[in-house]
Amino acid sequence: MYAKLVFRNAKRSVKDYLIYIVTMTICVALFYAFLSVSSSYYNPDIGSEYDFTLLSDGMKAAICMITLLLLFLIRFVNHYMLLRKQKEFAIQSIMGMEQKTIGRIFFAETLIMGMLSIWIGIFSGVFCSQFITAMLLTAYGKPYEISWTLFPDTVLLTVVFFVASFFVVGIFNTRTIQKTKIIDMLSAAKENEPELKKSRFISIAAVLFELFTAWGLMTGIQKIYFYDDPRLALSVQLMFWGNILFPLLAVLWPVFCRIRKKKREYCLTGLLLCSVFNAFAAASVAALKNKYYLPLGSGTLNQYLLFVLIDLIFFLCALIYLTSGLIAAWKEKSPEHRYHEEALFFFGQITSKLNTTSKTMTIICITLVLAIFMFVAAPVLTGWSSGYLDIRSMYDVQAFSRYNQVYEEENLPQDSYEIIADFLTEHKIDTDYDCTFNLYLPEKEDFHNRQKYDFPIAAIAVSDYNAIREMLGYGQISLGEDEFTTQWKTIATGEERDSFLKEHPSIMTDAGKLTLSGQSYYEDAIGETAYNSYTDVLYVLPDRICEKLLPVMKNRYITTSENISYENAIELEKLFTERFPEQTESGVMYGIRLCTLQTNSTIANNFVLQAAMLYGAVVLMIICLTVLSLQQLLDAGQYQYRFSVLRKLGVEEKAVGKLILAQLGVWFGLPIIAAMIVSAVIITYFIQIISAEISAYIGFGALMLQIGATIGILSILLICYFISTWIIFRRSVNPS
Amino acid sequence: MNTILRLEHIQKYYGNEGNLTKAIQDISFSVEAGEFLGIMGASGSGKTTLLNCISTIDTVSAGHIFLEGTDITEIRQSSLARFRRENLGFVFQDFNLLDTLTISENIALALAINKVPAGSVESRVLDMAGKLNISDILDKYPYQVSGGQKQRCACARAMINNPKLLLADEPTGALDSHSSQMLLSTMQSINEQLGATILMVTHDAFSASYASRILFLQDGEIFMELRKGDDSRSAFFDKILNVLTMIGGGQSHVC
């Protein structure tokens, strides 16, 4: 009998469960799709030079961490269903059914819906996992083939995880039902008139903001005391003073408001503006530090980053809190605004809900910003990393040394790393090119110069340079008798290069003065180890000049005719590090970079990072949208009453429909638009700081594509949730 | 006096052929302009169904209802809302005020929905509030005022558009005796001073005694009609009680 009741209930209330099913299906699909990569049955053809276990372990850990967030969501959605069915429970209790049984019936119902979601979710997951596989194979540079496979271990893991979470949540629900009094259940759906009380959340947020601003003020004073110098550029001076004046204004503003007995909203509007100024001032620190090489440590930068975040979070809190005030002010401005058809009702709906839920709205906004940022940042970070890989891993083997800790000339490296050639011969790996060369200091006296921002530029002999160019397939270059030219890193900007060349038409070396060649620079990537530390440029000098210069670093670049396998690469690395450790007694730092290992770890790490960030971002977005949607549906009882009053007053169905659409539009639109604005600011700032890396390694086109994809995914999710909410909302408020 | 509302052989059935419930069997009556008509009857006698039919919230199964000569049973579904807001005013047992709006906004909403020019809204609200003695609570929210005040606000909202007919469904049902008395006096003054035509459904004899004529319903039919005429209210009240005793079955049924 109970089983029949459960099935009939489930069948009848499938539409009530729409949000539950939509949310669960998306969660299951994502979980399955991302986890399928770590399945032991998953065996994509990525080649012998790659080791896949590195990736699948990382993926499993990352996915499971993020999935913990889903537990919160499952609990939330269940809570909503519980509230929605209270009246039904009350009737069953009155009829004499034990509350324990009611709890069990409800649990069985949610389990049926849950199983339905798991079923649909896994099949959608198989579809989604195609994208993940495509992403993976693209990462490893292999062609993509569609394979419709269901991985039994992933299916099992998905089912076990979700069923287990349903059970955990089910136990909580059954206990809640058992504890609730029948009278409370009965009156749960009835209209109640809650006091329109503004939450105290904003006062706490303002106090916290003030505390952080005071800290910012003190930091600003401290920084200006230690680092300000009248010789610094005007923009730097402005930055230093801005970081004192704006926080000072923010600290003094509430005091002023208190003395002049201003309204709370007035005070908050001031603080809102202060938070914007503060954020700009704090954000300028990182931007100017990069531009002017300011001696501010990463600790200070992180501190200012924290201030920017605090300012933005407070901005969101204040903005959402003030929105209802803003609507009220607009409403009060003229009777035309106020008394235009159903406008009064609409404003009442929006402001009352905003007043009571400003805290939730703010948290949703912040979470959305985080999700959007993760979406955009994931490809930037991985693109940066893999773009950098292309540049630094240009040879199959790179052995190099650094003299940063060497203080005596006799300790400089002499070895030509024969150990590598022996290893390759032993393992029958043919070499195509092999080049061992020195890097020199143009002036010997610079050997002891170890200042980071004034580190000497190293030089290479033109014959060695040509040998490297040949290895990489570039054309040969030639130099006149007393000429030199330059080779630049990809990251260096055109401006930097031009100003450098303008300032250095000639250079002094220990073997005489050299003038800049007609072809003054080369930009073809030759790897990162050919440059001295902290410099983006390398001098190319005639061979006879180099013979008289001090060689400070020794490099050996090898390209092999076939890829070195993963095992061999590990063995060679081990052998080399034993013979040439990173730290030696003489102070020379040795290093080896093997293309196979670099590619392997970079690709695996990148993929895990990208997948985890994308998964996390989608999960966060789903959480936000579900909470937004349920916030509206939870009050369906109240809304039904309010809309029935409107109908009785003679408002047409068409107008009621429009009001519902407008209300949901504002409810979904406000946090999303606020989050979009703040994310746009953060992303612009982020892009600006690493614009050099983006243009060098990723390309703005690819970045824009990603931003477009983010907007696309957000829009699809938004449409799904908006339509589901709209359908259920209409069902709730329409007369049966 | 001219007739404002005329009901001709109204019938209302629920259910289908096999299981037919006749909520209203056959009711005909008319209401004169400026009249205060009470409709009484036990639970299930059909009084709320009748009110719903007059207010166009429900449709009749047979018969016609004329409001100032317009047959409201013939009005198209799409025009009903407009008809309601232009011609009828409602007062409900549970006030039906919006908790998100202040008392004055609740009253103003009825004007705004009726597309009254925004400039004249506030003066009309103040004027009506003055008449119903709720001027001092206009800026309060419904949850901040008493039940009696809420119902007077509901009356103000119902009257603000000068409806042809004010329909009241158990207006004192949720009020204590003092508030009920105050409200009924207010309704009487609306009727006498503003000349409003009121149709009030109630099962409370005391409330009904404020009306000038009472129709008693039983099993979906008019059982009896009682006019106040020149009687005092207490005499009228006694007459009502007598009719109620009769409807209750009298002594003959109790054995």
Side-chain angles (χ1 to χ4, degrees):
Chain A
M1 178 64 207
Y2 284 147
K4 206 173 161 189
L5 192 67
V6 166
F7 277 104
R8 274 185 50 192
N9 267 355
K11 208 171 149 189
R12 208 189 56 219
S13 52
V14 128
K15 272 193 182 164
D16 286 339
Y17 276 99
L18 193 60
I19 284 287
Y20 185 85
I21 295 174
V22 167
T23 308
M24 284 300 129
T25 306
I26 298 177
C27 288
V28 173
L30 286 174
F31 186 84
Y32 178 84
F34 279 90
L35 211 63
S36 63
V37 176
S38 66
S39 163
S40 55
Y41 296 89
Y42 187 73
N43 203 9
D45 177 26
I46 54 169
S48 71
E49 69 269 32
Y50 299 116
D51 180 42
F52 196 67
T53 50
L54 207 68
L55 188 139
S56 61
D57 290 346
M59 275 299 277
K60 249 182 208 154
I63 300 297
C64 289
M65 288 294 286
I66 296 165
T67 303
L68 288 178
L69 286 173
L70 287 183
L71 283 176
F72 158 78
L73 192 63
I74 296 173
R75 171 97 186 94
F76 191 85
V77 178
N78 266 280
H79 179 66
Y80 157 73
M81 289 314 302
L82 193 77
L83 287 181
R84 209 179 152 88
K85 292 193 148 269
Q86 292 255 309
K87 204 171 177 187
E88 206 172 296
F89 297 154
I91 294 165
Q92 288 169 345
S93 300
I94 293 166
M95 279 161 58
M97 199 183 275
E98 278 178 41
Q99 273 170 283
K100 209 176 182 176
T101 320
I102 297 171
R104 282 183 189 156
I105 289 178
F106 175 65
F107 170 64
E109 246 177 77
T110 51
L111 196 65
I112 289 177
M113 297 299 171
M115 294 308 269
L116 183 71
S117 314
I118 293 178
W119 187 246
I120 309 171
I122 286 179
F123 278 95
S124 337
V126 171
F127 179 72
C128 289
S129 71
Q130 296 307 311
F131 290 102
I132 314 285
T133 307
M135 205 165 102
L136 182 89
L137 291 175
T138 319
Y140 281 101
K142 301 286 170 191
Y144 167 63
E145 286 165 23
I146 291 183
S147 58
W148 300 100
T149 348
L150 209 58
F151 304 112
D153 55 346
T154 315
V155 171
L156 190 73
L157 199 64
T158 312
V159 173
V160 167
F161 174 79
F162 281 96
V163 171
S165 8
F166 292 154
F167 267 93
V168 172
V169 175
I171 291 167
F172 276 111
N173 284 345
T174 317
R175 280 187 55 185
T176 316
I177 293 173
Q178 275 181 37
K179 277 186 193 164
T180 321
K181 286 182 192 158
I182 298 177
I183 186 74
D184 292 338
M185 286 187 192
L186 259 182
S187 53
K190 271 194 189 161
E191 182 268 326
N192 53 344
E193 295 177 346
E195 271 194 39
L196 296 178
K197 207 166 52 180
K198 288 219 168 196
S199 72
R200 254 186 246 155
F201 167 68
I202 193 69
S203 314
I204 301 167
V207 169
L208 285 176
F209 172 68
E210 285 296 316
L211 286 177
F212 273 101
T213 312
W215 182 22
L217 176 64
M218 275 165 6
T219 315
I221 294 170
Q222 195 192 12
K223 296 298 166 212
I224 210 165
Y225 180 76
F226 285 116
Y227 299 106
D228 193 27
D229 187 324
R231 288 170 297 178
L232 287 170
L234 180 69
S235 51
V236 180
Q237 303 279 358
L238 285 177
M239 173 203 86
F240 275 126
W241 283 105
N243 274 304
I244 292 180
L245 291 177
F246 292 129
L248 186 69
L249 190 68
V251 169
L252 291 181
W253 180 251
V255 182
F256 167 79
C257 291
R258 178 56 67 90
I259 294 169
R260 300 295 295 265
K261 295 201 170 99
K262 296 283 183 189
K263 268 189 178 175
R264 191 149 102 150
E265 277 72 17
Y266 185 83
C267 183
L268 268 177
T269 314
L271 283 183
L272 178 90
L273 291 175
C274 285
S275 73
V276 175
F277 294 136
N278 274 355
F280 271 108
S284 65
V285 175
L288 292 176
K289 192 225 168 218
N290 280 359
K291 196 172 174 190
Y292 293 99
Y293 296 100
L294 298 176
L296 300 170
S298 59
T300 311
L301 279 191
N302 291 341
Q303 204 177 352
Y304 275 102
L305 196 68
L306 175 75
F307 292 145
V308 174
L309 281 179
I310 298 284
D311 290 330
L312 288 176
I313 290 173
F314 180 75
F315 171 77
L316 280 177
C317 295
L319 183 73
I320 287 170
Y321 182 85
L322 288 172
T323 308
S324 64
L326 217 72
I327 295 174
W330 194 80
K331 189 179 88 176
E332 291 306 321
K333 211 173 155 195
S334 90
E336 275 74 24
H337 296 163
R338 208 160 45 240
Y339 302 123
H340 178 72
E341 299 183 6
E342 296 85 24
L344 259 181
F345 175 83
F346 178 67
F347 291 137
Q349 289 281 80
I350 297 295
T351 46
S352 73
K353 189 75 185 157
L354 270 179
N355 284 345
T356 47
T357 55
S358 59
K359 189 169 79 179
T360 322
M361 275 291 234
T362 311
I363 294 171
I364 288 173
C365 257
I366 294 168
T367 318
L368 266 179
V369 171
L370 184 67
I372 295 173
F373 180 72
M374 276 163 79
F375 243 120
V376 177
V380 172
L381 293 179
T382 51
W384 181 358
S385 174
S386 50
Y388 186 54
L389 174 75
D390 294 340
I391 288 161
R392 66 190 180 135
S393 144
M394 310 193 72
Y395 315 93
D396 290 307
V397 185
Q398 289 180 70
F400 60 93
S401 66
R402 286 278 176 265
Y403 72 97
N404 300 30
Q405 307 287 332
V406 184
Y407 298 100
E408 301 300 331
E409 283 175 25
E410 63 265 24
N411 286 341
L412 285 167
Q414 302 299 327
D415 204 292
S416 53
Y417 317 118
E418 279 310 320
I419 188 175
I420 302 172
D422 295 344
F423 179 89
L424 294 179
T425 325
E426 198 182 309
H427 287 82
K428 297 193 177 65
I429 301 168
D430 296 330
T431 56
D432 285 343
Y433 293 98
D434 186 348
C435 177
T436 311
F437 60 93
N438 283 314
L439 291 171
Y440 307 89
L441 282 183
E443 288 178 294
K444 201 174 177 181
E445 63 191 46
D446 273 338
F447 176 61
H448 292 290
N449 176 5
R450 302 291 159 88
Q451 288 177 25
K452 274 187 189 176
Y453 51 89
D454 193 23
F455 222 72
I457 296 160
I460 186 169
V462 69
S463 59
D464 292 334
Y465 182 64
N466 273 330
I468 296 177
R469 288 183 70 89
E470 195 188 340
M471 278 171 101
L472 298 170
Y474 306 141
Q476 300 290 297
I477 69 153
S478 58
L479 270 183
E481 269 294 292
D482 292 320
E483 282 184 346
F484 77 99
T485 186
T486 53
Q487 158 68 37
W488 289 84
K489 269 190 189 175
T490 322
I491 188 153
T493 60
E495 276 173 36
E496 280 173 341
R497 189 189 60 221
D498 293 343
S499 73
F500 179 89
L501 294 176
K502 209 173 164 187
E503 284 168 25
H504 296 81
S506 63
I507 54 165
M508 275 310 293
T509 69
D510 292 338
K513 191 178 171 188
L514 299 174
T515 51
L516 193 58
S517 159
Q519 175 61 45
S520 57
Y521 66 88
Y522 293 91
E523 286 184 305
D524 313 294
I526 59 163
E528 302 272 300
T529 51
Y531 302 86
N532 204 355
S533 313
Y534 319 115
T535 57
D536 291 344
V537 59
L538 177 73
Y539 289 130
V540 183
L541 310 182
D543 289 7
R544 72 172 177 81
I545 300 283
C546 286
E547 280 164 18
K548 295 173 192 159
L549 303 182
L550 177 69
V552 283
M553 293 177 276
K554 192 140 203 136
N555 287 11
R556 185 167 189 167
Y557 294 169
I558 298 171
T559 50
T560 55
S561 33
E562 61 195 52
N563 284 331
I564 303 175
S565 73
Y566 186 74
E567 288 76 23
N568 282 341
I570 291 275
E571 202 183 328
L572 177 58
E573 189 186 47
K574 202 176 153 211
L575 207 68
F576 183 88
T577 349
E578 272 170 16
R579 174 80 176 75
F580 300 103
E582 274 186 34
Q583 297 288 341
T584 55
E585 278 175 24
S586 59
V588 184
M589 293 184 281
Y590 291 103
I592 186 166
R593 285 182 184 170
L594 289 137
C595 181
T596 308
L597 297 183
Q598 279 180 309
T599 318
N600 235 307
S601 67
T602 312
I603 291 179
N605 288 341
N606 277 358
F607 186 77
V608 172
L609 179 75
Q610 191 173 14
M613 280 178 94
L614 291 182
Y615 181 56
V618 177
V619 166
L620 287 181
M621 274 187 191
I622 290 173
I623 291 179
C624 290
L625 292 172
T626 312
V627 173
L628 270 180
S629 155
L630 296 189
Q631 279 279 347
Q632 286 288 293
L633 298 177
L634 272 173
D635 292 337
Q638 270 187 43
Y639 290 139
Q640 186 182 22
Y641 164 78
R642 289 181 195 161
F643 281 100
S644 76
V645 172
L646 265 197
R647 286 195 184 94
K648 284 172 189 163
L649 286 175
V651 175
E652 279 113 356
E653 275 309 311
K654 214 170 132 191
V656 170
K658 268 190 196 165
L659 275 174
I660 292 176
L661 214 57
Q663 185 183 330
L664 289 183
V666 169
W667 186 253
F668 276 92
L670 177 69
I672 288 173
I673 289 172
M676 287 247 187
I677 293 171
V678 173
S679 323
V681 172
I682 294 179
I683 290 167
T684 316
Y685 177 57
F686 178 68
I687 289 176
Q688 204 140 49
I689 285 187
I690 58 160
S691 62
E693 285 82 357
I694 290 176
S695 60
Y697 305 130
I698 305 155
F700 278 96
L703 184 71
M704 288 305 139
L705 196 73
Q706 187 61 30
I707 294 176
T710 312
I711 295 171
I713 291 178
L714 186 60
S715 312
I716 290 172
L717 287 175
L718 183 64
I719 289 169
C720 278
Y721 274 91
F722 189 85
I723 292 177
S724 316
T725 314
W726 186 58
I727 291 172
I728 304 178
F729 196 96
R730 278 189 74 98
R731 247 172 78 88
S732 310
V733 301
N734 278 358
S736 48
Chain B
M1 280 190 130
N2 52 341
T3 303
I4 198 161
L5 177 74
R6 198 171 81 243
L7 279 78
E8 286 181 357
H9 306 291
I10 294 300
Q11 296 184 25
K12 177 69 190 176
Y13 307 144
Y14 290 110
N16 47 30
E17 263 181 59
N19 181 24
L20 204 66
T21 311
K22 288 186 176 179
I24 300 175
Q25 301 259 19
D26 183 6
I27 289 181
S28 301
F29 67 89
S30 37
V31 183
E32 304 297 321
E35 202 182 349
F36 189 163
L37 179 73
I39 293 177
M40 290 196 77
S43 291
S45 58
K47 54 186 192 304
T48 302
T49 310
L50 182 66
L51 193 79
N52 284 344
C53 290
I54 297 171
S55 64
T56 70
I57 290 172
D58 207 346
T59 52
V60 294
S61 305
H64 296 277
I65 302 172
F66 297 94
L67 185 77
E68 277 201 330
T70 314
D71 187 353
I72 62 174
T73 58
E74 299 289 320
I75 297 177
R76 275 183 296 128
Q77 189 68 28
S78 55
S79 313
L80 277 179
R82 186 193 171 93
F83 171 81
R84 262 205 302 275
R85 68 172 182 250
E86 284 175 357
N87 297 290
L88 305 174
F90 292 93
V91 178
F92 302 94
Q93 179 178 352
D94 50 359
F95 321 128
N96 273 222
L97 294 180
L98 292 166
D99 49 348
T100 53
L101 302 181
T102 60
I103 298 292
S104 86
E105 286 173 338
N106 263 294
I107 303 170
L109 182 64
L111 285 175
I113 289 172
N114 225 351
K115 299 182 177 63
V116 168
S120 63
V121 168
E122 267 164 22
S123 56
R124 282 178 70 173
V125 170
L126 280 175
D127 187 37
M128 183 55 73
K131 284 175 186 156
L132 294 187
N133 200 18
I134 45 171
S135 305
D136 50 340
I137 55 158
L138 280 180
D139 289 332
K140 293 195 169 163
Y141 282 93
Y143 59 82
Q144 294 170 318
V145 303
S146 72
Q149 286 170 322
K150 276 187 212 177
Q151 199 59 300
R152 267 184 282 155
C153 166
C155 279
R157 186 181 62 184
M159 287 303 298
I160 194 100
N161 279 317
N162 298 321
K164 290 176 182 145
L165 184 64
L166 177 66
L167 300 166
D169 186 5
E170 305 271 11
T172 57
L175 301 182
D176 59 65
S177 60
H178 177 68
S179 302
S180 297
Q181 214 169 342
M182 293 264 291
L183 179 79
L184 288 163
S185 306
T186 309
M187 286 182 71
Q188 203 168 29
S189 68
I190 289 173
N191 174 242
E192 286 168 4
Q193 286 163 26
L194 304 179
T197 314
I198 301 176
L199 196 152
M200 177 176 73
V201 164
T202 181
H203 65 260
D204 172 36
F206 177 75
S207 302
S209 68
Y210 280 83
S212 54
R213 177 163 69 113
I214 296 169
L215 295 176
F216 292 91
L217 298 191
Q218 192 178 33
D219 301 330
E221 285 178 316
I222 297 178
F223 173 76
M224 182 179 264
E225 185 181 320
L226 209 60
R227 282 181 190 274
K228 188 178 176 191
D230 295 329
D231 286 350
S232 69
R233 202 155 58 76
S234 63
F236 192 46
F237 180 63
D238 287 339
K239 282 185 181 172
I240 296 168
L241 286 181
N242 285 337
V243 178
L244 287 179
T245 318
M246 261 201 297
I247 291 177
Q251 290 299 316
S252 59
H253 284 107
V254 189
C255 32

